[in-house]
Amino acid sequence: MAEQVVELPAEQDTVAFGERLGRQLRAGDLVLLAGPLGAGKTVLTRGIAAGLGVSGRVSSPTFVLARVHPAGARGVPLVHVDAYRLGGDLAQLDDLDLDTDLEASAVVVEWGEGSAERLSADYLVVRLERREDDVRVATLEPHGAWKERV
């Protein structure tokens, strides 16, 4: 399936879109969030966490690099990574041991494009843009098995 584009007029729309995506995620799924600062990556992740039903407050893990949110009733934990500070340093990304986390968790990586794709041949890129009118636009770019799921 080709790219899909979704308009998100308000923050609650971004959260709701994330919830729908989160309800579809399962252990082993990799989602990469791309877009400039303020595009809504962490807000989208908050929705994904709600859709997965994980526990813990979702905030940007910029200074800790990764946060693990324990599984809720669905049984799938969320690993939320912010690769912004890594600046493409693949060794530091490897140190996070995300390939092990990916086996049992859904992994969402902010700023992961260009480095985190190598964790799996099957991943979804959600590219967020913020227009002049403050509407966010999400473009979904499926790779591998995601082409059948989006």
Side-chain angles (χ1 to χ4, degrees):
M1 181 174 273
E3 292 181 352
Q4 290 187 8
V5 177
V6 179
E7 285 195 359
L8 306 165
E11 183 173 321
Q12 62 265 27
D13 298 309
T14 303
V15 172
F17 175 69
E19 284 182 38
R20 289 191 303 275
L21 179 56
R23 285 193 293 270
Q24 303 303 313
L25 294 182
R26 50 192 181 225
D29 281 343
L30 175 62
V31 178
L32 307 180
L33 305 182
L37 287 170
K41 294 179 293 295
T42 302
V43 171
L44 181 64
T45 303
R46 195 176 314 133
I48 290 170
L52 276 169
V54 299
S55 58
R57 181 178 167 271
V58 174
S59 60
S60 179
T62 300
F63 298 104
V64 295
L65 301 181
R67 280 200 172 87
V68 177
H69 297 275
R74 289 199 42 223
V76 179
L78 171 66
V79 178
H80 180 201
V81 180
D82 187 331
Y84 182 75
R85 288 191 331 146
L86 299 181
D89 184 346
L90 299 180
Q92 285 190 45
L93 189 63
D94 286 341
D95 289 346
L96 293 175
D97 208 17
L98 293 178
D99 49 346
T100 300
D101 290 331
L102 193 53
E103 294 174 17
S105 308
V107 176
V108 173
V109 184
E110 296 186 31
W111 303 96
E113 193 174 33
S115 57
E117 303 90 336
R118 63 195 185 89
L119 295 171
S120 176
D122 305 316
Y123 61 94
L124 176 66
V125 175
V126 180
R127 190 173 311 286
L128 292 164
E129 296 176 45
R130 183 177 179 181
R131 294 191 323 215
E132 297 265 335
D133 61 1
D134 215 30
V135 170
R136 270 52 173 195
V137 177
T139 304
L140 283 66
E141 301 173 8
H143 298 267
W146 274 98
K147 291 180 181 178
E148 305 301 320
R149 292 177 60 188
V150 173

